[in-house]
Amino acid sequence: MPIAPTQTIDDEKLSPMLQLIKIDPEAISFLREGDLIEAKFLNRKPKMVYFDLGKFGTGVVYGSELMNAKDILKKLNAGDAISAKI
């Protein structure tokens, strides 16, 4: 049910997740295409490379992106940090 701009909702009626977002909007964030993030190299497989994206989970590079970055990726060692564009 959408809320009209003039309507207000009692905080007690909000779900716990919505209460958290209202209190601290930065507590929950999402990655969007084009965002820059620091990633730590985890592991290399023949057709995939894995990165730790911190609170966002694990990132996987494969396909044409893997081929385009093969020279950069082959120099990485476990734990190395790299800037990545989502």
Side-chain angles (χ1 to χ4, degrees), residues 17 20-22 24-33 35-37 53-57 86:
M17 183 64 74
L20 175 63
I21 293 170
K22 187 174 180 180
D24 185 8
E26 296 297 317
I28 299 177
S29 57
F30 302 94
L31 292 175
R32 294 185 179 93
E33 187 174 338
D35 286 351
L36 291 175
I37 186 169
L53 304 179
K55 69 179 181 178
F56 299 109
I86 303 301

Side-chain angles (χ1 to χ4, degrees), residues 2-72:
I3 301 168
T6 57
Q7 286 181 307
T8 59
I9 292 182
D10 184 8
D11 284 351
E12 293 175 4
K13 293 181 182 179
L14 295 175
S15 71
M17 183 64 74
L18 287 175
Q19 288 177 22
L20 175 63
I21 293 170
K22 187 174 180 180
I23 292 168
D24 185 8
E26 296 297 317
I28 299 177
S29 57
F30 302 94
L31 292 175
R32 294 185 179 93
E33 187 174 338
D35 286 351
L36 291 175
I37 186 169
E38 185 171 300
K40 287 187 182 177
F41 177 73
L42 293 175
N43 193 6
R44 180 182 299 116
K45 299 284 184 178
K47 296 185 180 185
M48 292 182 200
V49 178
Y50 297 91
F51 290 90
D52 178 5
L53 304 179
K55 69 179 181 178
F56 299 109
T58 302
V60 181
V61 177
Y62 61 95
S64 62
E65 287 83 9
L66 180 63
M67 295 306 295
N68 292 337
K70 66 182 177 182
D71 292 333
I72 296 169

